[in-house]
Amino acid sequence: VQTATELVFLYDDYTGNFFRVVPIDGRPHRTDVEPGYLGDAIGWWEDDVLVIDTAHYAEHRTGNAPGLPSGRQRHLIERFELTADRSGLTYTFWNEDPEYLVEPMIGTLDWTYRPDLPFVYIPCDLETARRYREE
């Protein structure tokens, strides 16, 4: 959801449902914020590209990736750009965390909008987890 001053993202992951609020009103990162799981995000538009800069993360056991913790120095910059045909989104990220990463993780993912496919919810339970367990 976008308003004149912020973007609100709804997430649904193994920790439950939660909201991420990203101000897009030109403010800098807050200096009075306690580090948190989602950090402190600020955003802006560069033409049609949404840029989100997040800092002030709390330490987390899987903050950088499953099995890869993150520290309080983590800094993430994300870019969201519609594809040329407007049927998808290109997500680019730059993730720095000097406590746990030798160099920044940089990556790009392409997300395609597929309204013709039904959403398949996979519950986070022991049966699902066993499918990924190495024997």
Side-chain angles (χ1 to χ4, degrees):
V1 175
Q2 180 177 344
T3 70
T5 60
E6 65 187 18
L7 295 165
V8 180
F9 295 83
L10 171 63
Y11 291 89
D12 179 10
D13 72 1
Y14 64 92
T15 63
N17 295 328
F18 56 91
F19 292 94
R20 178 183 183 199
V21 178
V22 179
I24 56 171
D25 58 4
R27 73 178 73 176
H29 282 291
R30 298 178 301 177
T31 57
D32 62 342
V33 65
E34 285 292 319
Y37 172 68
L38 296 177
D40 177 53
I42 56 174
W44 61 90
W45 289 96
E46 293 179 358
D47 296 320
D48 288 338
V49 179
L50 172 63
V51 180
I52 299 178
D53 180 327
T54 308
H56 304 298
Y57 283 99
E59 294 180 16
H60 194 273
R61 64 184 176 85
T62 61
N64 283 309
L68 182 56
S70 63
R72 292 179 66 162
Q73 296 178 61
R74 181 179 180 207
H75 182 205
L76 175 65
I77 298 178
E78 303 165 283
R79 298 177 62 85
F80 301 83
E81 182 174 6
L82 284 173
T83 57
D85 67 0
R86 303 182 71 80
S87 69
L89 192 69
T90 299
Y91 171 76
T92 305
F93 66 91
W94 178 88
N95 183 46
E96 176 183 53
D97 189 346
E99 186 176 352
Y100 290 97
L101 302 173
V102 174
E103 60 187 36
M105 287 191 305
I106 301 168
T108 299
L109 302 167
D110 290 316
W111 295 333
T112 303
Y113 178 60
R114 294 292 310 267
D116 57 311
L117 297 177
F119 176 76
V120 177
Y121 178 77
I122 300 174
C124 183
D125 58 24
L126 282 175
E127 186 61 33
T128 302
R130 284 188 180 106
R131 295 186 342 201
Y132 299 97
R133 186 174 162 203
E134 292 182 27
E135 297 291 333

